[in-house]
Amino acid sequence: PEPLWIGMARADAIGGPWVKEPTPIIGPSDDDIWRNHGAGSIKLLDESVDDRLIALNNGIYVEADGTTGSAIRVLSSSDGVTWEDVCGEPILRPSGLDDWKRAFIYGFDTARTEQGELRLYFNARDGWVPGVERIGMATLVE
């Protein structure tokens, strides 16, 4: 029961009325090893680079051995509808080791400090079922 698709709805005002677009903007793809099982979630950052929107996405994937995982990647878009991977590899992914972020990295959000540091807060799990969740924080200093 993982999030398979990310859809979009449009409105002329923040209060609506909203019109749902018929086609999802992000979904599972057999061509994407980091999103071959589901879309996960997306968070738009509050800045752009070269007039492109920047977002973080935690796609859901299935490994060759059948285990599932989730990792956080950087995406960009010129229109907010078509998204492209920026880095090729996730910026945060499960370690695969027997540690606190072995299985999944998801449930994330960002905050910028007054000093300009970007903080990425995320959930991580040390296993599948059962698994213990913990909160992590990664930072980017410009």
Side-chain angles (χ1 to χ4, degrees), residues 21-126:
E21 294 290 324
T23 305
I25 60 172
I26 298 177
S29 171
D30 291 336
D31 297 329
D32 188 339
I33 63 169
W34 301 108
R35 201 180 67 236
N36 62 16
H37 190 61
S41 66
I42 190 169
K43 302 286 191 281
L44 185 65
L45 298 183
D46 62 353
E47 64 243 14
S48 61
V49 174
D50 297 330
D51 293 324
R52 292 184 66 83
L53 301 168
I54 304 296
L56 301 178
N57 170 247
N58 73 305
I60 312 296
Y61 59 89
V62 177
E63 300 271 7
D65 65 2
T67 58
T68 57
S70 180
I72 298 175
R73 299 190 304 169
V74 179
L75 305 179
S76 75
S77 174
S78 61
D79 61 6
V81 177
T82 303
W83 292 91
E84 301 168 5
D85 179 42
V86 172
C87 302
E89 292 289 321
I91 59 170
L92 278 174
R93 68 179 178 193
S95 66
L97 306 172
D98 194 15
D99 73 358
W100 69 279
K101 57 182 181 58
R102 180 175 147 220
F104 298 94
I105 295 179
Y106 61 104
F108 62 94
D109 209 345
T110 61
R112 190 169 293 279
T113 67
E114 291 179 8
Q115 296 75 28
E117 177 183 82
L118 182 66
R119 293 183 176 176
L120 171 60
Y121 296 90
F122 59 94
N123 279 15
R125 285 185 59 190
D126 65 359

